[in-house]
Amino acid sequence: MDKGASIPIRLSPDSAEPMYHQIEVQLRALILSGRLPEGTLLPSIREFAAELTCSVITIRRVYQDLENEGILRTKQGTGTFVARVDTGERERYRKEAVAEALREAARAGLQVPCTPGELRALFEEALALARADMGMNGGSES
């Protein structure tokens, strides 16, 4: 990543989630989805903290947590980089991210309450609309 380029992190001041958690979850998603490829140089802790208007301690914690997970690596005097993430881990992340979003949607639907049949119909409708928005054909894929 070129110096000065920004990482697309969106913080919600109204969220019940702590700021470090919002940053960590989004940064992990950018890495595991491949949007930040292996070898990408991240902003320094100070630069990133200034960009996100948060404390240096917050960014240090995020970087340390993600380094402990093995998806970031730090080279003394050079910076923090996106580490190599194996395909299996990316695949697990991809499926788990979607599964969690679907669980949240199901919980919301059950609280309203919707029946399981209504939820399935709503999912099929949402899927069809999303495919149309993305210019995908209407045929089914596995």
Side-chain angles (χ1 to χ4, degrees):
M1 172 170 279
D2 296 332
K3 210 166 182 79
S6 80
I7 296 176
I9 301 284
R10 302 271 184 265
L11 298 176
S12 171
D14 301 326
S15 174
E17 293 293 329
M19 190 176 292
Y20 85 88
H21 188 260
Q22 292 180 55
I23 298 166
E24 186 174 304
V25 165
Q26 291 178 57
L27 187 54
R28 181 184 298 109
L30 289 167
I31 294 167
L32 294 177
S33 69
R35 288 185 55 204
L36 287 178
E38 176 183 350
T40 299
L41 174 62
L42 299 183
S44 74
I45 290 172
R46 289 187 191 287
E47 289 169 336
F48 207 17
E51 183 180 327
L52 296 176
T53 20
C54 67
S55 79
V56 168
I57 294 167
T58 298
I59 300 302
R60 181 175 291 121
R61 179 175 179 184
V62 169
Y63 279 14
Q64 286 174 342
D65 286 353
L66 296 178
E67 191 166 4
N68 291 341
E69 286 180 29
I71 62 176
L72 290 182
R73 60 186 164 78
T74 300
K75 290 184 182 175
Q76 197 62 34
T78 308
T80 301
F81 298 84
V82 174
R84 182 180 177 285
V85 180
D86 76 7
T87 307
E89 189 172 346
R90 284 187 196 279
E91 188 65 18
R92 277 188 303 282
Y93 172 78
R94 181 180 70 87
K95 288 181 179 176
E96 183 51 38
V98 173
E100 180 55 33
L102 290 172
R103 284 190 294 272
E104 268 309 304
R107 281 187 209 90
L110 291 170
Q111 287 176 348
V112 173
C114 286
T115 66
E118 289 171 321
L119 290 174
R120 278 191 279 286
L122 288 168
F123 173 76
E124 289 296 332
E125 182 181 328
L127 181 59
L129 288 170
R131 292 175 62 81
D133 289 346
M134 296 176 72
M136 300 173 130
N137 64 23
S140 66
E141 295 178 17
S142 8

